[in-house]
Amino acid sequence: MTALTRRTVLSGAVAASAATLTLALSSPAQAAAPLSGQQAAGWYRYKVGDIEVTVATDGVNRFKFPDGFVSNQGREQVNAALSAAYLQPAPDMIAIPYCPCAVNTGSRLVVIDTGTGEANFKNSKGAAGQFHGNLKAAGIDRNQVDVVIISHIHGDHINGLLTPDGKPAFPNAEIMVPAPEWKYFTDDGEMSRQTSDRMKGVFAGFRRVFDALGRKVTQYEGGKEIVPGITAVATHGHTPGHMSHIVSSGKSKVYIQADVTNLPIFVRNPGWHLLFDQDAKMAEETRRKVYDMLVAEKMMVQGFHYPFPALAHIEKSGSGYREIAVPWSPVL
Ligand SMILES: [Zn+2]
């Protein structure tokens, strides 16, 4: 056994630094490379039959979660669940990713949800507001997008409809919005009855974005194929008109869930009520129904708030479910 003493370690270190010095003097190209400090472009592509789906992350929002973040659980339980799922940057902190996607059906280029908006890139020091940059990195030209489908009107799904100077970010696209969502959020009576600052903010955000677009949208209903290969499913609860979307081609399908769950801790604990679920009871019923279906049909799910690339298989686990992330495929 070799005894590694302090003396041998030190003399080794001296020898090593002398060698480094010699190298540095004789060959400047051997100098340490500078640290990058930047992540790679965040996009991932996969096929659903003949259709190409490209997930392009909008980044992440890290914050100290408030009391009541899960209304029917204490801070301790939330911390424990985040930690058990290896999803916690630090105690009392939460990191919520955003994963919108583009769907190329072959005849139509579709974007489903739009992230927090390019203006937020600067505001968040690059942590979020990345969607448009990542779409471009994936070779997708926003001017070629034919349709933008919105799942619901929360800011992290609609703010990317506008450029930082308030112009349409997808100038040639038809914007499709769930009809029940549109009815609710355009209703002045509903707006006037809001008491919480958060909900007042949601109404104001909705008006800011869609007024800038001249409220030019196509409303759509659940249970209908709204673009060939993309069917809307009513999954109300998170918001009054929240919708999910099934992309299908041949025998393949993926369920683009939007906010049926937030982070996968709500997959594992479907009975937990997230602060942002407007009708928490309805949201839970929807969640259980959708996840039972995903298990029964063995359908993959694309989770807007799952960690990127946010694509998973779902299994039953105890009284809830668990997500098994789809491994990166180096080929399509
Ligand atoms: Zn969301």
Side-chain angles (χ1 to χ4, degrees), residues 304-324:
F304 188 87
H305 293 297
Y306 279 29
F308 178 78
L311 179 65
H313 299 284
I314 301 298
E315 289 181 351
K316 195 89 187 108
S317 173
S319 58
Y321 314 87
R322 66 178 177 143
E323 78 294 349
I324 292 101

mmCIF file of all heavy atoms in Angstrom, residues 304-324:
data_model
loop_
_atom_site.group_PDB
_atom_site.id
_atom_site.type_symbol
_atom_site.label_atom_id
_atom_site.label_comp_id
_atom_site.label_asym_id
_atom_site.label_seq_id
_atom_site.Cartn_x
_atom_site.Cartn_y
_atom_site.Cartn_z
ATOM 1 N N PHE A 304 -45.758 20.519 -20.073
ATOM 2 C CA PHE A 304 -45.238 21.894 -20.231
ATOM 3 C C PHE A 304 -44.307 22.273 -19.078
ATOM 4 O O PHE A 304 -43.302 22.942 -19.286
ATOM 5 C CB PHE A 304 -46.417 22.875 -20.302
ATOM 6 C CG PHE A 304 -46.005 24.284 -20.657
ATOM 7 C CD1 PHE A 304 -45.891 24.677 -21.976
ATOM 8 C CD2 PHE A 304 -45.714 25.211 -19.659
ATOM 9 C CE1 PHE A 304 -45.493 25.970 -22.301
ATOM 10 C CE2 PHE A 304 -45.324 26.507 -19.974
ATOM 11 C CZ PHE A 304 -45.217 26.886 -21.303
ATOM 12 N N HIS A 305 -44.643 21.808 -17.858
ATOM 13 C CA HIS A 305 -43.823 22.176 -16.689
ATOM 14 C C HIS A 305 -42.952 21.029 -16.173
ATOM 15 O O HIS A 305 -42.482 21.070 -15.047
ATOM 16 C CB HIS A 305 -44.708 22.741 -15.577
ATOM 17 C CG HIS A 305 -45.344 24.048 -15.927
ATOM 18 N ND1 HIS A 305 -44.617 25.184 -16.185
ATOM 19 C CD2 HIS A 305 -46.656 24.401 -16.085
ATOM 20 C CE1 HIS A 305 -45.447 26.192 -16.471
ATOM 21 N NE2 HIS A 305 -46.683 25.736 -16.421
ATOM 22 N N TYR A 306 -42.784 19.978 -16.983
ATOM 23 C CA TYR A 306 -41.814 18.927 -16.658
ATOM 24 C C TYR A 306 -40.415 19.457 -16.989
ATOM 25 O O TYR A 306 -40.262 20.333 -17.834
ATOM 26 C CB TYR A 306 -42.036 17.701 -17.550
ATOM 27 C CG TYR A 306 -43.136 16.727 -17.184
ATOM 28 C CD1 TYR A 306 -44.282 17.108 -16.513
ATOM 29 C CD2 TYR A 306 -43.016 15.393 -17.577
ATOM 30 C CE1 TYR A 306 -45.278 16.184 -16.241
ATOM 31 C CE2 TYR A 306 -44.008 14.470 -17.305
ATOM 32 C CZ TYR A 306 -45.140 14.870 -16.638
ATOM 33 O OH TYR A 306 -46.117 13.952 -16.370
ATOM 34 N N PRO A 307 -39.382 18.856 -16.375
ATOM 35 C CA PRO A 307 -38.016 19.222 -16.792
ATOM 36 C C PRO A 307 -37.768 18.858 -18.259
ATOM 37 O O PRO A 307 -38.193 17.785 -18.705
ATOM 38 C CB PRO A 307 -37.126 18.378 -15.872
ATOM 39 C CG PRO A 307 -38.003 17.974 -14.736
ATOM 40 C CD PRO A 307 -39.386 17.886 -15.279
ATOM 41 N N PHE A 308 -37.127 19.745 -18.976
ATOM 42 C CA PHE A 308 -36.833 19.576 -20.400
ATOM 43 C C PHE A 308 -36.106 18.259 -20.675
ATOM 44 O O PHE A 308 -35.217 17.908 -19.882
ATOM 45 C CB PHE A 308 -35.958 20.751 -20.853
ATOM 46 C CG PHE A 308 -35.541 20.688 -22.285
ATOM 47 C CD1 PHE A 308 -36.434 21.045 -23.283
ATOM 48 C CD2 PHE A 308 -34.274 20.231 -22.644
ATOM 49 C CE1 PHE A 308 -36.055 20.979 -24.612
ATOM 50 C CE2 PHE A 308 -33.893 20.157 -23.967
ATOM 51 C CZ PHE A 308 -34.783 20.535 -24.946
ATOM 52 N N PRO A 309 -36.359 17.476 -21.734
ATOM 53 C CA PRO A 309 -37.312 17.814 -22.796
ATOM 54 C C PRO A 309 -38.763 17.472 -22.495
ATOM 55 O O PRO A 309 -39.596 17.536 -23.391
ATOM 56 C CB PRO A 309 -36.788 17.041 -24.003
ATOM 57 C CG PRO A 309 -36.081 15.870 -23.441
ATOM 58 C CD PRO A 309 -35.551 16.287 -22.093
ATOM 59 N N ALA A 310 -39.053 17.134 -21.246
ATOM 60 C CA ALA A 310 -40.442 17.136 -20.765
ATOM 61 C C ALA A 310 -41.337 16.088 -21.425
ATOM 62 O O ALA A 310 -42.535 16.266 -21.544
ATOM 63 C CB ALA A 310 -41.043 18.532 -20.937
ATOM 64 N N LEU A 311 -40.713 14.985 -21.846
ATOM 65 C CA LEU A 311 -41.450 13.908 -22.517
ATOM 66 C C LEU A 311 -41.311 12.649 -21.663
ATOM 67 O O LEU A 311 -40.192 12.274 -21.298
ATOM 68 C CB LEU A 311 -40.838 13.687 -23.905
ATOM 69 C CG LEU A 311 -41.443 12.594 -24.778
ATOM 70 C CD1 LEU A 311 -42.894 12.934 -25.144
ATOM 71 C CD2 LEU A 311 -40.607 12.416 -26.060
ATOM 72 N N ALA A 312 -42.430 12.011 -21.341
ATOM 73 C CA ALA A 312 -42.348 10.884 -20.407
ATOM 74 C C ALA A 312 -43.427 9.839 -20.672
ATOM 75 O O ALA A 312 -44.456 10.126 -21.291
ATOM 76 C CB ALA A 312 -42.482 11.395 -18.966
ATOM 77 N N HIS A 313 -43.145 8.629 -20.187
ATOM 78 C CA HIS A 313 -44.160 7.582 -20.071
ATOM 79 C C HIS A 313 -44.725 7.661 -18.655
ATOM 80 O O HIS A 313 -44.031 8.102 -17.736
ATOM 81 C CB HIS A 313 -43.540 6.206 -20.290
ATOM 82 C CG HIS A 313 -42.925 6.032 -21.646
ATOM 83 N ND1 HIS A 313 -43.678 5.820 -22.775
ATOM 84 C CD2 HIS A 313 -41.635 6.055 -22.055
ATOM 85 C CE1 HIS A 313 -42.869 5.713 -23.824
ATOM 86 N NE2 HIS A 313 -41.624 5.859 -23.409
ATOM 87 N N ILE A 314 -45.948 7.196 -18.494
ATOM 88 C CA ILE A 314 -46.597 7.275 -17.180
ATOM 89 C C ILE A 314 -46.995 5.880 -16.712
ATOM 90 O O ILE A 314 -47.545 5.094 -17.483
ATOM 91 C CB ILE A 314 -47.861 8.181 -17.251
ATOM 92 C CG1 ILE A 314 -47.481 9.600 -17.706
ATOM 93 C CG2 ILE A 314 -48.590 8.209 -15.907
ATOM 94 C CD1 ILE A 314 -46.525 10.344 -16.787
ATOM 95 N N GLU A 315 -46.684 5.602 -15.454
ATOM 96 C CA GLU A 315 -47.112 4.344 -14.830
ATOM 97 C C GLU A 315 -47.909 4.665 -13.578
ATOM 98 O O GLU A 315 -47.731 5.726 -12.980
ATOM 99 C CB GLU A 315 -45.880 3.515 -14.422
ATOM 100 C CG GLU A 315 -45.130 2.925 -15.589
ATOM 101 C CD GLU A 315 -43.936 2.094 -15.140
ATOM 102 O OE1 GLU A 315 -43.604 2.114 -13.930
ATOM 103 O OE2 GLU A 315 -43.347 1.430 -16.015
ATOM 104 N N LYS A 316 -48.735 3.708 -13.181
ATOM 105 C CA LYS A 316 -49.441 3.826 -11.911
ATOM 106 C C LYS A 316 -48.413 3.593 -10.795
ATOM 107 O O LYS A 316 -47.487 2.794 -10.946
ATOM 108 C CB LYS A 316 -50.523 2.731 -11.884
ATOM 109 C CG LYS A 316 -51.566 2.903 -10.852
ATOM 110 C CD LYS A 316 -52.759 3.731 -11.334
ATOM 111 C CE LYS A 316 -53.682 4.008 -10.160
ATOM 112 N NZ LYS A 316 -53.675 5.371 -9.677
ATOM 113 N N SER A 317 -48.528 4.314 -9.687
ATOM 114 C CA SER A 317 -47.600 4.118 -8.573
ATOM 115 C C SER A 317 -48.310 4.496 -7.285
ATOM 116 O O SER A 317 -48.658 5.659 -7.087
ATOM 117 C CB SER A 317 -46.358 4.996 -8.788
ATOM 118 O OG SER A 317 -45.530 4.940 -7.665
ATOM 119 N N GLY A 318 -48.555 3.492 -6.423
ATOM 120 C CA GLY A 318 -49.274 3.754 -5.172
ATOM 121 C C GLY A 318 -50.633 4.370 -5.479
ATOM 122 O O GLY A 318 -51.361 3.896 -6.356
ATOM 123 N N SER A 319 -50.950 5.467 -4.789
ATOM 124 C CA SER A 319 -52.243 6.112 -5.038
ATOM 125 C C SER A 319 -52.112 7.187 -6.121
ATOM 126 O O SER A 319 -53.058 7.904 -6.408
ATOM 127 C CB SER A 319 -52.755 6.740 -3.738
ATOM 128 O OG SER A 319 -51.802 7.668 -3.268
ATOM 129 N N GLY A 320 -50.920 7.283 -6.708
ATOM 130 C CA GLY A 320 -50.722 8.263 -7.777
ATOM 131 C C GLY A 320 -50.075 7.626 -8.993
ATOM 132 O O GLY A 320 -50.416 6.501 -9.364
ATOM 133 N N TYR A 321 -49.160 8.334 -9.581
ATOM 134 C CA TYR A 321 -48.515 7.890 -10.821
ATOM 135 C C TYR A 321 -47.046 8.241 -10.723
ATOM 136 O O TYR A 321 -46.616 8.957 -9.840
ATOM 137 C CB TYR A 321 -49.137 8.613 -12.025
ATOM 138 C CG TYR A 321 -50.633 8.633 -11.988
ATOM 139 C CD1 TYR A 321 -51.336 9.648 -11.316
ATOM 140 C CD2 TYR A 321 -51.379 7.618 -12.594
ATOM 141 C CE1 TYR A 321 -52.715 9.653 -11.253
ATOM 142 C CE2 TYR A 321 -52.764 7.618 -12.544
ATOM 143 C CZ TYR A 321 -53.427 8.643 -11.868
ATOM 144 O OH TYR A 321 -54.799 8.644 -11.805
ATOM 145 N N ARG A 322 -46.271 7.719 -11.667
ATOM 146 C CA ARG A 322 -44.909 8.223 -11.756
ATOM 147 C C ARG A 322 -44.531 8.381 -13.223
ATOM 148 O O ARG A 322 -45.022 7.652 -14.091
ATOM 149 C CB ARG A 322 -43.916 7.344 -11.006
ATOM 150 C CG ARG A 322 -43.763 5.983 -11.590
ATOM 151 C CD ARG A 322 -42.715 5.214 -10.814
ATOM 152 N NE ARG A 322 -42.651 3.871 -11.366
ATOM 153 C CZ ARG A 322 -41.525 3.190 -11.496
ATOM 154 N NH1 ARG A 322 -40.391 3.712 -11.119
ATOM 155 N NH2 ARG A 322 -41.546 1.979 -12.007
ATOM 156 N N GLU A 323 -43.646 9.325 -13.470
ATOM 157 C CA GLU A 323 -43.217 9.616 -14.835
ATOM 158 C C GLU A 323 -41.857 8.984 -15.078
ATOM 159 O O GLU A 323 -40.995 9.010 -14.202
ATOM 160 C CB GLU A 323 -43.182 11.140 -15.056
ATOM 161 C CG GLU A 323 -41.989 11.883 -14.483
ATOM 162 C CD GLU A 323 -41.888 11.883 -12.950
ATOM 163 O OE1 GLU A 323 -42.838 11.478 -12.264
ATOM 164 O OE2 GLU A 323 -40.818 12.285 -12.456
ATOM 165 N N ILE A 324 -41.698 8.387 -16.242
ATOM 166 C CA ILE A 324 -40.394 7.827 -16.617
ATOM 167 C C ILE A 324 -39.953 8.598 -17.853
ATOM 168 O O ILE A 324 -40.552 8.471 -18.923
ATOM 169 C CB ILE A 324 -40.472 6.313 -16.913
ATOM 170 C CG1 ILE A 324 -40.771 5.558 -15.610
ATOM 171 C CG2 ILE A 324 -39.149 5.782 -17.468
ATOM 172 C CD1 ILE A 324 -42.142 5.129 -15.412
#
